[in-house]
């Protein structure tokens, strides 16, 4: 019975890591869809979101089953509760990748991203991949010190979004209302994707240490 219990606990981590892998693939393909006007990539992201949703549901079902059958305490209970929070953030990261893909699909066969901001969007896509990859690594390693680094990594995403907005608000922007709305939405979706990666890392800190991120002091 206890062997099964620990296998189920371990499965929560494995499924969370798989969600990070799927979210990374989704945001990478969504970036391709936006920049290359790639309809196949956009459709892949949209249809692939179902796999993330299934893992989200699997984690929820396993977590509630463990709490009902085993009445876990202390660190095991923290693992289960934080897994529920993390899977929610990862599921929403998948949703934001879908939103990006839908912007690309809506403008196909044209590109949704005008030339002057393409390099910024490409950089935001790369930063999104970095953030979700790092989130997966801290889940596997249960490393709260590395988890804290995601906050600084996300600052770069915030700076890129501000740069994007400055570009479309600058004199000489001549791409019309639709393009302006698309670029604004794209920047917001990438920013939110990064925010959820930080939430995952913050929950990992609590899972491992029992302390909130703002209260945790890394070892010197």
């Amino acid at each position: 019975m206890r062997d099964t219990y620990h296998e189920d606990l371990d499965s929560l981590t494995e499924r969370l890591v798989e969600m990070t892998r799927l979210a990374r693939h989704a945001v990478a393909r969504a970036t391709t869809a936006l920049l290359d006007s790639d309809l196949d990539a956009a459709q892949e992201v949209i249809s692939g979101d179902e796999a993330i949703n299934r893992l989200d549901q699997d984690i929820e079902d396993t977590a509630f089953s463990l709490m009902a059958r085993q009445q876990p305490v202390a660190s095991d209970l923290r693992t289960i509760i934080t897994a529920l929070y993390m899977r929610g953030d990862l599921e929403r990261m998948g949703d934001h990748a879908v939103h990006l893909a839908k912007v690309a699909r809506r403008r196909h066969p044209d590109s949704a991203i005008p030339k002057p901001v393409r390099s910024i969007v490409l950089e935001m896509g790369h930063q999104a991949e970095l953030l979700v990859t790092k989130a997966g690594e801290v889940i596997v390693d249960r490393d709260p010190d590395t988890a804290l680094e995601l906050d600084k990594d996300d600052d770069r995403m915030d700076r890129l979004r501000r740069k994007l907005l400055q570009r479309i608000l600058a004199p000489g922007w001549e791409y019309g209302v639709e393009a302006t709305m698309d670029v604004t939405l794209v920047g917001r979706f990438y920013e939110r994707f990064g925010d959820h990666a930080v939430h995952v890392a913050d929950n990992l800190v609590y899972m491992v240490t029992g302390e909130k991120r703002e209260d945790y002091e890394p070892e010197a």
Side-chain angles (χ1 to χ4, degrees):
M1 190 73 165
R2 298 302 293 178
D3 286 345
T4 301
Y5 169 66
H6 288 292
E7 286 173 5
D8 287 344
L9 271 179
D10 290 343
S11 78
L12 293 176
T13 298
E14 292 166 4
R15 290 169 183 164
L16 288 169
V17 173
E18 178 64 7
M19 287 183 80
T20 67
R21 188 190 68 79
L22 292 174
R24 179 183 184 278
H25 180 74
V27 78
R29 294 295 284 160
T31 303
T32 297
L34 283 168
L35 296 175
D36 296 347
S37 190
D38 188 330
L39 186 59
D40 289 339
Q43 289 296 146
E44 180 185 339
V45 174
I46 294 165
S47 61
D49 191 50
E50 180 57 32
I52 295 178
N53 293 339
R54 282 196 301 270
L55 284 166
D56 173 54
Q57 189 62 56
D58 287 347
I59 290 170
E60 181 180 290
D61 292 345
T62 300
F64 285 134
S65 175
L66 284 168
M67 287 190 287
R69 290 187 293 107
Q70 302 292 341
Q71 298 181 338
V73 295
S75 63
D76 286 353
L77 183 59
R78 285 204 310 271
T79 295
I80 294 169
I81 296 299
T82 52
L84 286 169
Y85 282 116
M86 287 190 279
R87 60 94 196 175
D89 281 303
L90 291 165
E91 190 273 334
R92 284 187 283 277
M93 290 166 79
D95 289 344
H96 289 307
V98 168
H99 295 330
L100 292 168
K102 286 182 176 180
V103 172
R105 185 177 67 176
R106 185 165 62 246
R107 298 305 173 205
H108 185 269
D110 297 322
S111 173
I113 308 300
K115 187 175 180 179
V117 294
R118 289 174 66 83
S119 63
I120 302 174
V121 170
L122 177 62
E123 207 170 343
M124 293 183 86
H126 288 163
Q127 192 67 13
E129 288 186 61
L130 181 150
L131 282 160
V132 70
T133 299
K134 205 164 187 177
E137 290 170 353
V138 299
I139 292 171
V140 170
D141 297 335
R142 298 175 68 89
D143 181 353
D145 293 346
T146 301
L148 294 178
E149 296 175 7
L150 266 82
D151 211 20
K152 292 181 180 179
D153 293 331
D154 189 49
D155 287 344
R156 177 165 178 74
M157 182 71 87
D158 295 339
R159 289 194 297 271
L160 286 167
R161 181 172 183 247
R162 288 195 294 272
K163 184 177 179 181
L164 192 68
L165 294 176
Q166 288 167 359
R167 191 67 58 87
I168 65 177
L169 293 173
W173 178 260
E174 54 186 23
Y175 292 91
V177 174
E178 284 189 349
T180 300
M181 290 179 63
D182 285 344
V183 173
T184 302
L185 285 172
V186 162
R188 179 60 173 160
F189 295 145
Y190 278 120
E191 180 196 38
R192 291 301 296 147
F193 188 98
D195 289 344
H196 286 298
V198 173
H199 294 165
V200 169
D202 289 349
N203 276 296
L204 186 280
V205 173
Y206 179 72
M207 176 193 287
V208 174
T209 69
E211 298 180 13
K212 293 183 178 180
R213 178 185 62 81
E214 57 268 26
D215 298 327
Y216 172 67
E217 292 290 340
E219 294 183 5

